Amino acid sequence: MLKIMVIDDEEHIRLGIAKILSKYPGGVEIAGQHANGLDALLQLSGMGPDDLDVVVTDIEMPMMDGLKFIEQAKAKLPCLTIILLSGYNDFEYARRAMRAGAADYLLKPMDKAEVFRLLDRIRDAKEAAAERAGAGAPGSAAAAGEAHAAPSASPAASTADRICRLIDREYNRDIDLKYIADAVGFNASYISKLFSREKGETITDYLNRVRIDKAKQFLKDHPGLKVYEIAHIVGYGDKIYFQKLFKRMVGVTPLEYRAGAAD
């Protein structure tokens, strides 16, 4: 069962969101409802990773807006999954939301099928993390948002897992090998060789795989976003490079993939 907090300054919308979520077949517990980010943050400050899985929040609210809430909530619970809601189909809102740490960006009124698909992915990631923890692997259910990373035990493998988790969290930022090396505390040449040995692929290959997987989700779930906008959201500044990479990795162009997903 997923534990979800809902934040929106309009009570009828807040109650409507909670009603939709309560119908999710996988099971939902509404862990809190708030009219602004500040009140939500006060409750969240007393919670641990096992107390809350998902926050669904509006972007424009009094006292503390959704973007500021995301930044502070992620500082408290880094692996918390946050879904940002907005009444505007605006690329800049989506870009800012993803850079702040949101897992996804949905338009109001919230589409039940769309949000249920998203909750399915979150639940699957949580279950995979729990299985890894049960097998004695590093991490716990707090790693639910890091479904790409594989469990390991040796120091070298643990370092590789840390790199995977970093990329899973920050794939949409302008990250490179030096940034990753500084974050994990080793030099770039060492982590490059270590990662390839432990994971069987390069750090760049893993980063591209995470970004392209996220791009596929956006192409399916956000038909209003243009291809170049999705490219920027997942971390690619060059639309042409993104399109070529997508075609090479997926076998079809982004538009062809979107058309196929809609059939």
Side-chain angles (χ1 to χ4, degrees):
M1 178 174 289
L2 292 174
K3 300 172 184 175
I4 304 181
M5 179 185 291
V6 180
I7 313 171
D8 196 293
D9 59 322
E10 297 185 61
E11 184 179 17
H12 71 284
I13 293 179
R14 190 167 66 246
L15 293 174
I17 292 170
K19 184 176 180 179
I20 290 174
L21 294 174
S22 68
K23 296 178 180 178
Y24 174 59
V28 158
E29 174 189 335
I30 302 300
Q33 296 187 49
H34 299 283
N36 62 75
L38 185 59
D39 287 346
L41 202 63
L42 289 174
Q43 181 188 358
L44 190 142
S45 64
M47 304 176 97
D50 294 331
D51 299 323
L52 189 63
D53 300 304
V54 183
V55 173
V56 179
T57 179
D58 190 16
I59 192 169
E60 293 188 345
M61 299 177 292
M63 301 178 69
M64 178 182 288
D65 67 21
L67 293 175
K68 289 181 181 177
F69 169 80
I70 291 171
E71 293 172 357
Q72 296 195 34
K74 295 290 281 187
K76 166 66 178 173
L77 296 175
C79 294
L80 181 65
T81 299
I82 301 178
I83 302 169
L84 198 67
L85 294 175
S86 175
Y88 303 97
N89 187 12
D90 186 279
F91 162 63
E92 183 59 23
Y93 272 126
R95 186 189 68 81
R96 289 170 61 197
M98 299 301 292
R99 289 194 177 276
D104 216 321
Y105 172 91
L106 302 179
L107 291 176
K108 293 180 180 179
M110 192 170 70
D111 181 80
K112 184 171 71 172
E114 185 178 358
V115 75
F116 282 7
R117 286 196 299 270
L118 183 53
L119 293 179
D120 282 342
R121 293 198 295 267
I122 296 168
R123 182 197 61 191
D124 291 346
K126 180 182 178 181
E127 290 176 354
E131 288 175 6
R132 292 201 299 270
S140 66
E146 300 159 3
H148 289 280
S152 314
S154 71
S158 295
T159 299
D161 286 344
R162 286 177 61 202
I163 294 170
C164 287
R165 290 193 291 269
L166 173 67
I167 291 172
D168 290 343
R169 290 194 307 269
E170 303 189 31
Y171 69 89
N172 57 328
R173 298 177 181 271
D174 184 18
I175 59 177
D176 56 18
L177 193 58
K178 183 180 183 303
Y179 176 88
I180 295 170
D182 291 343
V184 298
F186 296 100
N187 68 60
S189 176
Y190 173 76
I191 66 163
S192 181
K193 293 175 182 176
L194 178 149
F195 191 91
S196 295
R197 183 176 68 246
E198 295 295 329
K199 298 298 182 182
E201 63 181 330
T202 67
I203 291 175
T204 299
D205 286 343
Y206 182 82
L207 174 60
N208 283 332
R209 181 157 58 85
V210 171
R211 284 174 167 174
I212 294 300
D213 282 349
K214 193 65 181 179
K216 288 162 68 177
Q217 293 177 17
F218 270 90
L219 286 164
K220 288 188 295 185
D221 296 345
H222 299 277
L225 287 176
K226 296 178 174 60
V227 170
Y228 79 87
E229 293 174 336
I230 291 174
H232 279 278
I233 289 171
V234 301
Y236 295 111
D238 186 333
K239 172 191 170 184
I240 302 301
Y241 173 76
F242 167 72
Q243 290 178 313
K244 289 180 178 179
L245 181 65
F246 192 98
K247 176 69 180 292
R248 176 165 62 82
M249 294 182 67
V250 182
V252 294
T253 68
L255 288 178
E256 288 170 340
Y257 180 85
R258 171 178 273 166
D263 291 341

